[in-house]
């Protein structure tokens, strides 16, 4: 059996894990799948650096472009990340008729439409299972198993770092900074932690998921995004007391079942502890899918880390190698842009909290603001903070626009000292 020669761009956590998997079980993979994969070239930023992974001599290079154009490379695996130069390298490979496997959510969420067009034109695979939720076989499930399904909502925990942080805060009372440092040590975090904690990573993944689920192009810029940096231990503890867990959620949905408009957003949310997503702890990811015929289903697994992500890359690689042999390629269709419903029109329950001066008439002033904005309160709690007090509310279903106006008006009251974070509430009202 002739080997399919693989050119790997980037040898960080995932690249090194992929090389390890191929070296350790190349023969087993060939036996099980009928495809023999051989690491032909590996491009790294600094070829002189010592690596913990064993590479065949002479395959390491600092020149990624040379790997892509090398006639001795049949399939390209892009693990560099970011938009540039990764995008140019992927495009060059596709133009040259070489299938590409990538884990690059940022690239796909910004320039996916254009790259898929090239792949469709040159009839080669552009596969990206590892780009969303690491080792969970989610993309293939949505693209293939659920291809005929009218999906109404995809809601998931797709960032391991933030889920790890929120879990440590909820269960151990860890500080935000300590939990982030631990996640970084464990290799879950992006090199720039803002990508995780500000929700950029999850937003890119949400755009990719929405595009597949709804068959219309959603870009990273279409996704409403809020991160977890304003969440305090007090918010997490309060949520827990009320039977909720705080999670950073990526949500892609058709707000009106029969309409084509889609809403895509990433934000921290209070998830009812009875919801399956509430049980997803640590760096695990899970995606809860709702469809007309299939009903509800959830996929769960490791969403970050070298080995789980490399496992997804390997699956794609085997697929691409098979297709190369048979002269076929996966399904690639050119998609029209999605019609995006503005975040202002979201309808949800909300959790809000504020620190106020503790004196007569303050509650009346606050509730006048909510009433004037048409926001109805479902529950209220107050605790003393010396001379001040913290008020915590959960609203009945309200419109995002009205809630944002409420927050602005509350900030303008002289009795309100601080308005804390806003959490959308997921669960039965
Ligand atoms: N930083 C990402 C996470 C890695 O924490 O989930 C996988 O995209």
């Amino acid at each position: 059996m002739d080997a399919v020669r693989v050119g790997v761009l980037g040898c960080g956590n995932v690249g090194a894990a992929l090389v390890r998997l191929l070296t350790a079980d190349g023969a087993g993979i060939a036996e099980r799948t009928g495809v023999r994969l051989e690491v032909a070239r590996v491009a790294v930023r600094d070829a002189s650096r010592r690596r913990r992974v064993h590479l065949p001599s002479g395959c390491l290079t600092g020149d990624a472009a040379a790997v892509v154009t090398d006639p001795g490379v049949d399939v390209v695996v892009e693990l560099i990340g970011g938009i540039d130069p990764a995008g140019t390298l992927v495009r060059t490979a596709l133009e040259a008729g070489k299938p590409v496997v990538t884990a690059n959510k940022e690239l796909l969420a910004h320039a996916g439409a254009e790259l898929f067009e090239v792949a469709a034109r040159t009839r080669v695979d552009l596969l990206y299972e590892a780009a969303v939720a690491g080792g969970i076989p989610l993309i293939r499930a949505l693209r293939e198993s659920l291809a005929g399904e009218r999906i109404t909502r995809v809601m998931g925990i797709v960032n391991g770092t933030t889920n790890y942080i929120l879990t440590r805060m909820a269960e151990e009372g860890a500080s935000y900074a300590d939990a982030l440092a631990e996640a970084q040590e464990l290799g879950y975090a992006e090199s720039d932690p803002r990508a995780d904690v500000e929700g950029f990573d999850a937003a890119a993944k949400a755009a990719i998921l929405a595009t597949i689920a709804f068959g219309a192009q959603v870009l990273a810029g279409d996704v409403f995004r809020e991160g977890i940096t304003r969440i305090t231990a007090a918010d997490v503890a309060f949520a827990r007391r009320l039977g909720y867990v705080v999670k950073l959620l990526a949500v892609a949905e058709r707000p009106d079942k029969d309409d084509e408009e889609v809403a895509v957003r990433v934000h921290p949310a209070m998830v009812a502890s009875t919801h399956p997503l509430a049980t997803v702890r640590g760096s695990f990811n899970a995606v809860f899918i709702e469809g007309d015929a299939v009903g509800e289903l959830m996929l769960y697994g490791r969403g970050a880390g070298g080995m789980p992500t490399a496992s997804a890359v390997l699956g794609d690689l085997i697929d691409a190698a098979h297709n190369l042999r048979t002269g076929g390629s996966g399904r690639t269709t050119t998609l029209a842009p999605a019609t995006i419903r503005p975040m202002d029109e979201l309808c949800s329950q909300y959790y809000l909290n504020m620190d106020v001066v503790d004196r007569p008439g303050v509650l009346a002033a606050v509730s006048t603001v909510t009433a004037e904005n048409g926001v109805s309160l479902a529950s209220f709690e107050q605790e003393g903070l010396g001379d001040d007090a913290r008020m915590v509310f959960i609203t009945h279903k309200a419109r995002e626009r009205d809630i944002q106006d409420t927050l602005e008006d509350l900030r303008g009251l002289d009795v309100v000292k601080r308005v804390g974070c806003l959490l959308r509430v997921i669960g039965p009202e």
Side-chain angles (χ1 to χ4, degrees):
M1 183 193 318
D2 283 345
V4 171
R5 298 160 303 175
V6 183
V8 185
L9 312 181
C11 197
N13 245 347
V14 181
L18 178 69
V19 171
R20 264 185 217 116
L21 286 176
L22 286 172
T23 319
D25 194 28
I29 291 168
E31 224 166 87
R32 291 193 299 276
T33 66
V35 170
R36 197 156 70 77
L37 295 164
E38 174 190 297
V39 179
R41 309 286 306 272
V42 177
V44 291
R45 207 175 308 155
D46 178 4
S48 64
R49 224 183 79 197
R50 266 179 74 83
R51 320 226 145 232
R52 273 178 296 171
V53 64
H54 175 74
L55 293 166
S57 67
C59 89
L60 207 61
T61 170
D63 188 351
V67 171
V68 170
T69 52
D70 187 335
V73 166
D74 303 311
V75 183
V76 173
V77 177
E78 186 276 305
L79 300 171
I80 299 176
I83 293 174
D84 212 30
T88 311
L89 293 164
V90 168
R91 173 187 264 282
T92 309
L94 295 171
E95 294 279 10
K98 294 185 187 184
V100 175
V101 175
T102 179
N104 192 335
K105 59 244 153 178
E106 200 188 347
L107 176 63
L108 295 178
H110 285 86
E114 179 200 326
L115 295 171
F116 286 114
E117 249 176 60
V118 181
R121 178 163 46 77
T122 55
R123 304 176 81 81
V124 289
D125 282 319
L126 171 55
L127 301 176
Y128 52 99
E129 184 63 71
V132 184
I136 305 176
L138 169 65
I139 303 294
R140 207 166 260 105
L142 280 171
R143 265 168 55 117
E144 295 177 16
S145 317
L146 298 170
E149 185 69 31
R150 184 164 168 93
I151 291 173
T152 48
R153 181 154 74 160
V154 178
M155 180 161 75
I157 295 167
V158 293
N159 182 271
T161 302
T162 45
N163 205 47
Y164 184 87
I165 293 171
L166 292 171
T167 306
R168 296 281 294 152
M169 284 171 79
E171 295 181 5
E172 317 289 335
S175 76
Y176 169 80
D178 285 351
L180 171 61
E182 281 174 33
Q184 283 173 314
E185 260 166 50
L186 292 164
Y188 306 143
E190 298 297 304
S191 47
D192 176 358
R194 278 175 311 174
D196 295 304
V197 298
E198 299 287 4
F200 290 101
D201 175 81
K205 292 167 177 169
I208 296 170
L209 287 181
T211 299
I212 315 169
F214 303 128
Q217 191 65 52
V218 176
L219 300 172
D222 297 325
V223 182
F224 171 85
R225 178 194 52 77
E226 257 176 36
I228 64 163
T229 53
R230 295 192 67 215
I231 293 172
T232 62
D235 297 323
V236 174
F238 180 79
R240 197 176 180 145
R241 269 208 315 277
L242 284 186
Y244 293 91
V245 185
V246 178
K247 296 288 183 194
L248 182 71
L249 290 189
V251 185
E253 64 185 349
R254 292 188 207 271
D256 296 321
K257 274 190 159 197
D258 303 321
D259 201 282
E260 290 311 306
E261 232 181 21
V262 302
V264 194
R265 54 189 204 269
V266 165
H267 53 66
M270 272 173 43
V271 179
S273 50
T274 48
H275 193 285
L277 285 172
T279 61
V280 178
R281 301 171 54 252
S283 70
F284 277 91
N285 282 194
V287 177
F288 190 81
I289 301 170
E290 293 159 66
D292 275 357
V294 76
E296 297 176 349
L297 65 95
M298 186 162 98
L299 296 165
Y300 168 90
R302 287 258 175 229
M307 275 297 179
T309 310
S311 160
V313 171
L314 183 53
D316 276 353
L317 203 44
I318 292 165
D319 230 12
H322 262 298
N323 287 340
L324 253 192
R325 283 274 156 70
T326 55
S329 73
R331 249 166 286 170
T332 24
T333 16
T334 310
L335 301 173
T339 309
I340 304 290
R341 175 170 293 202
M343 184 65 180
D344 261 7
E345 291 173 31
L346 173 73
C347 201
S348 170
Q349 281 192 274
Y350 293 84
Y351 155 93
L352 37 120
N353 74 86
M354 73 205 81
D355 295 349
V356 295
V357 294
D358 198 0
R359 64 168 190 244
V362 174
L363 182 57
V366 168
S367 58
T368 301
V369 166
T370 56
E372 279 171 359
N373 285 290
V375 172
S376 171
L377 301 175
S379 66
F380 161 71
E381 209 177 271
Q382 177 174 323
E383 63 179 349
L385 301 172
D387 288 344
D388 297 334
R390 175 160 303 153
M391 287 181 172
V392 180
F393 298 95
I394 295 201
T395 72
H396 285 296
K397 273 208 167 138
R399 253 178 211 289
E400 178 84 17
R401 185 190 306 129
D402 297 333
I403 288 290
Q404 294 298 347
D405 288 347
T406 302
L407 291 183
E408 204 176 311
D409 292 349
L410 289 172
R411 283 189 198 103
L413 291 181
D414 57 3
V415 292
V416 173
K417 294 192 155 177
R418 182 194 71 97
V419 175
C421 79
L422 176 75
L423 295 172
R424 285 107 195 149
V425 180
I426 308 280
E429 179 165 358

